[in-house]
Amino acid sequence: MSSYKERIANLDLYQLKDFQNAIQHAIAEKQAEERRTVWRVFCGHFTVGNFRSDEYLKAVECLATAAKKAHSIDCNDREELQFSIEAERVPVSEYEGWF
């Protein structure tokens, strides 16, 4: 499959403007969509896990398990011991794709 850049390379100006309008419309629809929360567990900049809206306590358990494991490895790197849970608000149409 080719990239979108390759696919639009040969479009004329009218086609590009039409494509731009279609993209702007799609963006507006996505932004107007209902949103759901995904609980994301991070270790530094790495994702440890993603959890459904009603699974916050599972996210907490995941964070605790990952922290215990990292701490037991005798690491001295502070980055490896920085854990967090963050709420990501995603459009309903994309929600299932996070799991």
Side-chain angles (χ1 to χ4, degrees), residues 11-36:
L11 298 179
D12 62 31
L13 185 58
Y14 176 78
Q15 292 170 319
L16 287 169
K17 286 183 178 185
D18 189 45
F19 186 62
Q20 179 184 30
N21 290 336
I23 293 295
Q24 287 174 335
H25 180 71
I27 290 170
E29 285 182 343
K30 248 340 152 174
Q31 289 175 331
E33 223 177 284
E34 179 185 345
R35 302 216 173 245
R36 297 210 42 205

Side-chain angles (χ1 to χ4, degrees), residues 1-12:
M1 179 172 202
S2 62
S3 75
Y4 73 89
K5 288 182 181 182
E6 291 170 346
R7 298 184 100 190
I8 65 171
N10 296 319
L11 298 179
D12 62 31

Side-chain angles (χ1 to χ4, degrees), residues 2-78:
S2 62
S3 75
Y4 73 89
K5 288 182 181 182
E6 291 170 346
R7 298 184 100 190
I8 65 171
N10 296 319
L11 298 179
D12 62 31
L13 185 58
Y14 176 78
Q15 292 170 319
L16 287 169
K17 286 183 178 185
D18 189 45
F19 186 62
Q20 179 184 30
N21 290 336
I23 293 295
Q24 287 174 335
H25 180 71
I27 290 170
E29 285 182 343
K30 248 340 152 174
Q31 289 175 331
E33 223 177 284
E34 179 185 345
R35 302 216 173 245
R36 297 210 42 205
T37 299
V38 174
W39 296 109
R40 306 196 67 205
V41 178
F42 292 98
C43 175
H45 301 291
F46 297 100
T47 303
V48 177
N50 295 318
F51 297 86
R52 297 178 181 282
S53 297
D54 60 346
E55 296 180 331
Y56 180 76
L57 293 179
K58 284 186 181 180
V60 171
E61 289 174 14
C62 175
L63 182 144
T65 300
K68 285 178 189 175
K69 182 178 177 182
H71 189 264
S72 70
I73 298 174
D74 188 34
C75 67
N76 293 323
D77 186 358
R78 291 178 133 180

Side-chain angles (χ1 to χ4, degrees), residues 9 32 79:
E79 180 103 356

